[in-house]
C-alpha cells in the first residue's frame, strides 16, 4: 500500500510551486492590455475616437474592430459574436477597445481618454420578455414520447406550475487570461486559460486570417474553470493574440476579479412551465415541460446547454408520456455559458420540485415517491435510449439505510415540535447523469506518449488540467498498462503541436476520453516492447511468448518463471538499441453515440452515472440562516481509477452546488449591470459551509457500462447532490409555514420572506 494516493499536483499546490499563466516573469517588451468596456447593456456606437488616448506616452497601440485583419467573428457554433462590436453593443461590459501599454496603470489611465458617443437602446434583460418576442437563437427544440394530451386527460391527478432557478458565478480562482507571444514569421503562441485549445486555435486563425498551423496553443494548467473556460476564454485569447500580431510584441491580457465578474457570462437561469399527471401512489404517467433559458447576448453554448437540460428533464424518473420543449433566449446580459452540469442541474431542479409537490399533495414520503418513479434497467428514456444497468430504487434504499432515514425523520419531527425559532428539514435527491458530449463529434481524444531511454515517460493528452487531476488519472492508466509507477510519468502541458484538434475538456469526459487515448498509446508501446522482453528473458534461460510477459512495478518477467526478472528501464534501453519505436499516438472515439436533433431521438450517452443524496438542515427563523447538519451521498462509481480524487470531486461538486442553491445571488440593476462583482458582495461557500457530518459511500456497481478500466466520469454528476440542501430548507420552512413558497436561491432573505404567511 502506498502512503499517499497518486495526485500529481497536490504537493505543487500545497507548497505554492504550481505555475499558472501570468505567474511567469514578464517577457522583455511585453505589453499589458486594458479595455474600454461598454457602459450600457444595449446601444449603438455613434463615435469611438481613440486618438487622444493613443497620443499618451507609453501607449503603444489601441486596438478596435477596424484593426481586425481577418474575420471580426468569434462565434463558434453560431457565428453571431464579434470580437469587438462594430455598431451594436449587446451587453454591459462588452469590450469595445483594447489599450496596449508598457504597464497596466498607463493602460488603465489611457482607457479613460477614449471618446465614446453612444445611442442607448432599451435592453432586454428578462427571460419572459425575450421569450414573448421570440428572441431565440434557434427555433424551439422538442423531445417527445407517448401521448401527452391523452395521458393528461386520463390522469387521476394533475398539477401545473412554474419553477425558476438562478444563475451562478464560476468563481474560478484564476481569472480569464492569456499571454500571447509572437514567434518566427507569422507564428503566434497563446498561453491561454481555456478548456478548449482547438476552438481557440480555430477562432484565432479566422480572426487573423492565418492558417491554423501558425497558431500554437499551450495550456499548462488552469486555476479552476468549471465550464467558465469551455468557451468564454476564447474572447480574451483572441484579444491577446490580435494585440501580439499587430504589435509584434508579447501581450498579456489578465482580468482583475472585478472585471471578470462584471463582464463574463454565468450559469444560465432557467424558467420552466410544467404540467404533470400522476396516480394516487404518486406514480407519474405524464410530464409536459417547457424549459426556457436566459442565454445572454450571444448563442455561445446556450443551445447545447438547453439540450442537456432537456435530456435531464425527467432525471431519475421513468415517465411513459413526456413532452420536453426548450427555448434558449437572447437577452442583453454577458453571454451565459457552460457551468458544471451544463443545464442538467436546471432541468433536474424542476422535476425534483414537481416530485416534492406530488409528495406534499398526496401526503407521501418524498423518498417513496422517488422510488416508485425510478428508472429500472431496460427502461427507455424519452429520447429513446435504453437505460442499462440502473437501480435508482436500490440506491435510494441504500441511502435510507446508511442515513438511518426513519431515525432522522423522527429526530427532525421531535426537534421541530420542541423548537419555535429553529426548524429542521430533510431533502433527498437522486441523479441519473448522461455521460458523453451530446454533440457526438466531440467524443474523440488523442494522446502522445514518449518513453525516454531511462524508462521514464512523457505523456501529452487533449485533457486540460484544471484541478480535477485528469493528468493523474491519465498517468494512472499508462502506469497500469506499462507497469511503471506514476512518478515515472510526466504529464505535459496541453499543446496543439503535440495533440491537435482536442475537444474541450468538458462534459465530465476528460478522463474517459483522454484516459482511453492514453491507454491505447501505452498499449502500442507495450506491444513494441514485448518481443524485446521475450529475447531478453531468453538470455536468462526463460522460454516464453509475448503474451506471457508481465509488466509490474517497474519489473518485467514471464508469468511462467516470475522469479527471473529484468527491469523496465533495461527493457527500454534494449528496445532502443534494437531500433524499436519508443513512442506512440493513441486515438479514441466513443462508440455508439448519436442523436437526431430534428426527430429528438437517439443514443446521446455512452452510459449514465447514478446516485442519490440526503441532507438534514437547520434554519433559524429569526435571521433566515441555515446550517447543513448532515449529508449522506451514495454514488455509483464503477471501478474508480482513484477513489481519493473522486471523493474530492464529489465534495467539491456538492459544496459548489449547495452554494448555488442557497447563498450565491446575482443581483442585476435595471440597466443590466451585475451588482455583486467581487467576494465582498458575492458569497461562495467556504470550508465552514461543509456539512458537519458528510458521508460519501462509493458503490462499485455500474462498471459494465462505463469507461476506461471500468471507471466512471465524476466531474458533474455529483453537482446534483447540492439540490438536497435546497429541498431540506424548503422542508424546514414548511414546518413553520405549511404554505411557504421558497425562492431560489434559498438565501436568508428568501427564507424570511417565505415565512410571511400572507
Ligand atoms: N459541452 C458540450 C458540455 O459541448 N456538450 C456537452 O454535452 C456538455 N456537457 C456538459 C458540459 N459541457
Ligand atoms: Mo463543462 S460545464 O466545462 O463540462
Amino acid at each position: 500500500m502506498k502512503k499517499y494516493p497518486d495526485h500529481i499536483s497536490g504537493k505543487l499546490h500545497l507548497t505554492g510551486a504550481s505555475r499558472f499563466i501570468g505567474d511567469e516573469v514578464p517577457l522583455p517588451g511585453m505589453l499589458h492590455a486594458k479595455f474600454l468596456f461598454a457602459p450600457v447593456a444595449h446601444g449603438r456606437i455613434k463615435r469611438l475616437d481613440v486618438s487622444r488616448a493613443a497620443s499618451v506616452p507609453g501607449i503603444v497601440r489601441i486596438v478596435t474592430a477596424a484593426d481586425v485583419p481577418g474575420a471580426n467573428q468569434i462565434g463558434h457554433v453560431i457565428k453571431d459574436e464579434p470580437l469587438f462590436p462594430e455598431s451594436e453593443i449587446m451587453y454591459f461590459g462588452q469590450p469595445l477597445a483594447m489599450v496596449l501599454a508598457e504597464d497596466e496603470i498607463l493602460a488603465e489611465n489611457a482607457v479613460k481618454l477614449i471618446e465614446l458617443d453612444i445611442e442607448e437602446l432599451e435592453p432586454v434583460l428578462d427571460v419572459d420578455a425575450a421569450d414573448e418576442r421570440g428572441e431565440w437563437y434557434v427555433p424551439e427544440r422538442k423531445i417527445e414520447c407517448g401521448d401527452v394530451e391523452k395521458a393528461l386527460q386520463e390522469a387521476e391527478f394533475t398539477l401545473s406550475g412554474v419553477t425558476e432557478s438562478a444563475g451562478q458565478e464560476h468563481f474560478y480562482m484564476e481569472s480569464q487570461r492569456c499571454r500571447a507571444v509572437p514567434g518566427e514569421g507569422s507564428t503566434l503562441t497563446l498561453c491561454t486559460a481555456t478548456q478548449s485549445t482547438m476552438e481557440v486555435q480555430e477562432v484565432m486563425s479566422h480572426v487573423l486570417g492565418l492558417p491554423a498551423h501558425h497558431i500554437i496553443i499551450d495550456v499548462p494548467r488552469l486555476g479552476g474553470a468549471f465550464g467558465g473556460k469551455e468557451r468564454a476564454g476564447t474572447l480574451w485569447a483572441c484579444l491577446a493574440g490580435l494585440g501580439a500580431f499587430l504589435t509584434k510584441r508579447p501581450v498579456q491580457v489578465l482580468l482583475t476579479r472585478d472585471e471578470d465578474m462584471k463582464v463574463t457570462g454565468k450559469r444560465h437561469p432557467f424558467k420552466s412551465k410544467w404540467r404533470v399527471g400522476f396516480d394516487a401512489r404518486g406514480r407519474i404517467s405524464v410530464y409536459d415541460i417547457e424549459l426556457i433559458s436566459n442565454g445572454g447576448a450571444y448563442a455561445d453554448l446556450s443551445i447545447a446547454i438547453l439540450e442537456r437540460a432537456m435530456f435531464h428533464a425527467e432525471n431519475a424518473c421513468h415517465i411513459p408520456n413526456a413532452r420536453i420543449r426548450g427555448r434558449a433566449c437572447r437577452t442583453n446580459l454577458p453571454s451565459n455559458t457552460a457551468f458544471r452540469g451544463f443545464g442538467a442541474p436546471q432541468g433536474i431542479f424542476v422535476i425534483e420540485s414537481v416530485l416534492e409537490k406530488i409528495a406534499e399533495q398526496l401526503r407521501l414520503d418524498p423518498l417513496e415517491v422517488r422510488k416508485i418513479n425510478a428508472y429500472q434497467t431496460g427502461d427507455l428514456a424519452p429520447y429513446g435510449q435504453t437505460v442499462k444497468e440502473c437501480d435508482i430504487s436500490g440506491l435510494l434504499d441504500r441511502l435510507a439505510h446508511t442515513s438511518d432515514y426513519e431515525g432522522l425523520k423522527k429526530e427532525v419531527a421531535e426537534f421541530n415540535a420542541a423548537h419555535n425559532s429553529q426548524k429542521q428539514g430533510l431533502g433527498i435527491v437522486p441523479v441519473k447523469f448522461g455521460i458523453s458530449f451530446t454533440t457526438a463529434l466531440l467524443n474523440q481524444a488523442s494522446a502522445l506518449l514518449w518513453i525516454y531511454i531511462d524508462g521514464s515517460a512523457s505523456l501529452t493528452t487533449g485533457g486540460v488540467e484544471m484541478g480535477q487531476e485528469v493528468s493523474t488519472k491519465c498517468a494512472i492508466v499508462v502506469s497500469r498498462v506499462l507497469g511503471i509507477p506514476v512518478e515515472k510519468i510526466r504529464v505535459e502541458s496541453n499543446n496543439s503541436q503535440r495533440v491537435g484538434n482536442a475537444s474541450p475538456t468538458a462534459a465530465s469526459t476528460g478522463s474517459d476520453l483522454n484516459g482511453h487515448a492514453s491507454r491505447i498509446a501505452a498499449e502500442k508501446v507495450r506491444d513494441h516492447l514485448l518481443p524485446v522482453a521475450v529475447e531478453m528473458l531468453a538470455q536468462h534461460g526463460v522460454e516464453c511468448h509475448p503474451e506471457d510477459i508481465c509488466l509490474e512495478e517497474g519489473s518485467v518477467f514471464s508469468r511462467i518463471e516470475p522469479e527471473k526478472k529484468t527491469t523496465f528501464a533495461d527493457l527500454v534501453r534494449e528496445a532502443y538499441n534494437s531500433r524499436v519505436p519508443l513512442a506512440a499516438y493513441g486515438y479514441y472515439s466513443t462508440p455508439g453515440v448519436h442523436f437526431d436533433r430534428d426527430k429528438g431521438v437517439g443514443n446521446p450517452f455512452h452510459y449514465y452515472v447514478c446516485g442519490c443524496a440526503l441532507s438534514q438542515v437547520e434554519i433559524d427563523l429569526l435571521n433566515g440562516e441555515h446550517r447543513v447538519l448532515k449529508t449522506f451521498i451514495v454514488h455509483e462509481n464503477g471501478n474508480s481509477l482513484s477513489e481519493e480524487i473522486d471523493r474530492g470531486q464529489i465534495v467539491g461538486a456538492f459544496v459548489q452546488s449547495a452554494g448555488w442553491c442557497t447563498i450565491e445571488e446575482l443581483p442585476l440593476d435595471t440597466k443590466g449591470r451585475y451588482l455583486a462583482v467581487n467576494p465582498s458582495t458575492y458569497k461562495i461557500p467556504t470550508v465552514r459551509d461543509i456539512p458537519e457530518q458528510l458521508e460519501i459511500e462509493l458503490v462499485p456497481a455500474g462498471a459494465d457500462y462505463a469507461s476506461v478500466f471500468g471507471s466512471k466520469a465524476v466531474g458533474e454528476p455529483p453537482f446534483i447532490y447540492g439540490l438536497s440542501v435546497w429541498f431540506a430548507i424548503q422542508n424546514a420552512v414548511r414546518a413553520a409555514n405549511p404554505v411557504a413558497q421558497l425562492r431560489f436561491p434559498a438565501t436568508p432573505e428568501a427564507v424570511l420572506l417565505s415565512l410571511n404567511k400572507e
Side-chain angles (χ1 to χ4, degrees):
M1 270 300 280
K2 287 199 176 186
K3 197 157 162 211
Y4 300 107
D6 290 311
H7 191 294
I8 292 172
S9 315
K11 192 172 171 193
L12 295 170
H13 287 332
L14 279 174
T15 56
S18 41
R19 296 278 196 94
F20 299 87
I21 296 160
D23 278 358
E24 312 88 348
V25 286
L27 293 167
M30 189 171 83
L31 300 173
H32 298 266
K34 283 284 169 186
F35 299 94
L36 172 68
F37 293 113
V40 298
H42 196 198
R44 218 175 300 284
I45 301 171
K46 294 288 201 204
R47 191 174 71 97
L48 179 65
D49 187 346
V50 302
S51 52
R52 211 152 71 89
S55 67
V56 175
I59 302 303
V60 174
R61 179 131 188 186
I62 302 186
V63 184
T64 66
D67 300 304
V68 177
N72 182 23
Q73 180 54 247
I74 63 164
H76 199 52
V77 184
I78 292 183
K79 306 242 177 296
D80 67 345
E81 181 169 1
L83 182 68
F84 286 116
E86 277 154 45
S87 157
E88 191 179 7
I89 292 168
M90 283 295 287
Y91 62 92
F92 191 95
Q94 182 166 24
L96 306 180
M98 172 170 68
V99 177
L100 300 173
E102 308 281 353
D103 79 50
E104 283 172 286
I105 295 167
L106 275 173
E108 187 81 69
N109 287 335
V111 166
K112 295 176 194 142
L113 300 177
I114 298 176
E115 291 164 31
L116 175 69
D117 291 340
I118 42 178
E119 175 195 344
E120 212 173 326
L121 302 171
E122 184 72 22
V124 179
L125 304 173
D126 180 51
V127 76
D128 285 325
D131 192 39
E132 267 158 39
R133 293 186 202 182
E135 285 283 348
W136 313 309
Y137 313 104
V138 295
E140 179 180 87
R141 286 270 158 87
K142 188 164 80 169
I143 293 169
E144 191 163 11
C145 68
D147 187 336
V148 168
E149 293 304 332
K150 182 159 164 273
L152 276 167
Q153 275 164 19
E154 290 173 358
E156 223 174 311
F157 301 94
T158 58
L159 280 172
S160 64
V162 176
T163 301
E164 287 183 82
S165 60
Q168 183 178 26
E169 159 62 31
H170 297 86
F171 220 107
Y172 27 63
M173 289 292 139
E174 172 202 52
S175 59
Q176 300 282 348
R177 60 192 58 196
C178 176
R179 183 180 278 195
V181 185
E184 209 172 54
S186 51
T187 60
L188 186 62
T189 299
L190 304 180
C191 298
T192 178
T194 182
Q195 295 168 246
S196 187
T197 55
M198 181 189 187
E199 176 179 310
V200 172
Q201 185 192 43
E202 195 181 0
V203 174
M204 182 83 269
S205 81
H206 290 154
V207 166
L208 297 181
L210 290 174
H213 71 288
H214 282 42
I215 314 292
I216 300 149
I217 311 293
D218 191 76
V219 185
R221 65 163 78 244
L222 306 183
F226 309 113
K229 296 165 186 167
E230 183 173 340
R231 216 198 90 74
T234 303
L235 170 62
W236 312 104
C238 288
L239 289 168
L242 174 60
F245 177 84
L246 293 172
T247 60
K248 303 282 173 231
R249 289 169 69 168
V251 167
Q252 183 158 292
V253 166
L254 203 158
L255 297 192
T256 64
R257 176 66 51 188
D258 284 43
E259 287 169 342
D260 191 302
M261 289 182 73
K262 243 182 249 180
V263 310
T264 62
K266 327 270 174 221
R267 180 184 293 285
H268 286 63
F270 269 68
K271 178 164 193 167
S272 306
K273 303 171 185 172
W274 50 266
R275 294 188 294 169
V276 66
F278 52 98
D279 67 16
R281 299 170 311 149
R283 176 83 180 97
I284 297 175
S285 56
V286 52
Y287 187 44
D288 184 18
I289 178 166
E290 291 169 83
L291 289 153
I292 306 156
S293 72
N294 186 336
Y298 301 111
D300 191 277
L301 291 166
S302 295
I303 297 152
I305 290 161
L306 177 72
E307 192 168 71
R308 185 168 281 274
M310 292 169 71
F311 282 132
H312 289 78
E314 88 295 7
N315 190 25
C317 296
H318 176 235
I319 305 177
N321 304 285
R323 178 164 57 204
I324 301 158
R325 285 174 286 184
R327 301 188 292 274
C329 300
R330 191 190 299 276
T331 59
N332 294 106
L333 290 177
S335 277
N336 284 324
T337 193
F339 196 143
R340 201 175 198 172
F342 205 76
Q346 293 96 315
I348 291 174
F349 180 66
V350 186
I351 183 72
E352 295 303 321
S353 297
V354 170
L355 287 160
E356 289 289 312
K357 286 214 163 61
I358 292 172
E360 190 185 298
Q361 162 140 353
L362 298 175
R363 295 178 187 281
L364 293 172
D365 185 299
L367 187 137
E368 290 304 319
V369 173
R370 276 150 178 123
K371 269 177 65 178
I372 200 169
N373 284 293
Y375 267 112
Q376 288 170 6
T377 297
D379 286 340
L380 287 187
Y383 42 88
Q385 175 155 356
T386 303
V387 177
K388 293 173 185 157
E389 206 186 19
C390 180
D391 183 17
I392 302 283
S393 175
L395 290 170
L396 284 164
D397 281 339
R398 211 166 168 139
L399 181 68
H401 177 75
T402 52
S403 64
D404 182 22
Y405 182 51
E406 291 306 317
L408 281 180
K409 283 203 289 189
K410 229 181 263 146
E411 190 184 312
V412 167
E414 283 167 15
F415 180 92
N416 288 347
H419 293 79
N420 287 327
S421 318
Q422 291 91 29
K423 294 292 174 195
Q424 291 189 359
L426 299 174
I428 292 162
V429 62
V431 61
K432 169 183 135 291
F433 201 98
I435 303 300
S436 287
F437 285 98
T438 60
T439 303
L441 62 90
L442 294 174
N443 295 293
Q444 54 177 318
S446 302
L448 180 65
L449 177 66
W450 269 99
I451 310 295
Y452 296 124
I453 193 68
D454 64 350
S456 66
S458 159
L459 175 67
T460 304
T461 75
V464 170
E465 177 53 48
M466 45 192 156
Q468 85 284 41
E469 286 310 292
V470 63
S471 44
T472 298
K473 286 193 172 175
C474 290
I476 287 172
V477 168
V478 171
S479 117
R480 287 207 199 164
V481 175
L482 296 179
I484 55 175
V486 165
E487 298 76 53
K488 289 278 185 203
I489 303 160
R490 194 187 134 70
V491 183
E492 311 288 353
S493 69
N494 186 306
N495 185 298
S496 58
Q497 290 175 311
R498 279 175 265 116
V499 168
N501 304 344
S503 291
T505 304
S508 305
T509 62
S511 301
D512 285 12
L513 296 174
N514 296 291
H516 266 305
S518 302
R519 172 186 61 76
I520 290 164
E523 285 171 355
K524 283 189 188 169
V525 170
R526 184 192 59 194
D527 291 346
H528 292 313
L529 290 175
L530 292 183
V532 181
V534 168
E535 282 179 26
M536 283 178 84
L537 288 171
Q539 286 161 16
H540 289 75
V542 181
E543 285 285 328
C544 65
H545 299 285
E547 53 281 14
D548 302 323
I549 302 287
C550 301
L551 303 175
E552 274 174 31
E553 293 178 26
S555 304
V556 180
F557 54 90
S558 155
R559 80 179 87 244
I560 301 153
E561 291 179 74
E563 63 289 348
K564 293 189 179 159
K565 298 177 198 284
T566 184
T567 66
F568 185 77
D570 285 342
L571 171 60
V572 167
R573 189 167 290 277
E574 183 60 29
Y576 174 80
N577 293 346
S578 317
R579 291 187 280 177
V580 164
L582 288 173
Y585 163 79
Y587 174 82
Y588 175 77
S589 73
T590 311
V593 287
H594 58 88
F595 180 66
D596 182 333
R597 284 188 175 146
D598 298 323
K599 296 203 180 82
V601 175
N603 246 44
F605 302 118
H606 187 37
Y607 62 91
Y608 295 96
V609 173
C610 298
C612 48
L614 179 152
S615 289
Q616 179 187 15
V617 305
E618 186 172 317
I619 59 169
D620 185 322
L621 302 185
L622 302 177
N623 63 19
E625 288 187 5
H626 76 274
R627 274 189 309 147
V628 185
L629 305 176
K630 295 179 188 171
T631 294
F632 297 88
I633 291 169
V634 176
H635 184 79
E636 208 172 77
N637 205 33
N639 298 327
S640 178
L641 291 171
S642 167
E643 280 203 12
E644 293 83 3
I645 290 172
D646 289 353
R647 279 177 191 277
Q649 286 292 308
I650 294 166
V651 175
F654 169 79
V655 172
Q656 189 172 41
S657 164
W660 172 52
C661 298
T662 60
I663 57 173
E664 296 182 39
E665 208 170 24
L666 288 164
L668 195 68
D669 72 7
T670 53
K671 298 229 170 235
R673 206 172 354 192
Y674 284 118
L675 295 174
V677 294
N678 58 51
S680 70
T681 41
Y682 189 84
K683 180 93 178 73
I684 61 167
T686 65
V687 70
R688 291 193 320 186
D689 298 295
I690 292 173
E692 288 161 30
Q693 185 185 349
L694 173 59
E695 289 184 22
I696 298 167
E697 189 184 358
L698 294 178
V699 181
D704 288 349
Y705 298 96
S707 189
V708 57
F709 294 137
S711 65
K712 287 193 139 182
V714 73
E716 294 172 298
F719 192 90
I720 305 308
Y721 300 141
L723 294 173
S724 65
V725 175
W726 193 92
F727 290 114
I729 294 174
Q730 176 176 258
N731 190 268
V733 163
R734 297 231 165 118
N737 173 15
V739 296
Q741 294 299 318
L742 182 64
R743 282 198 325 227
F744 187 108
T747 57
E749 185 187 1
V751 167
L752 290 178
L753 284 170
S754 76
L755 294 170
N756 210 330
K757 295 197 184 179
E758 281 158 33

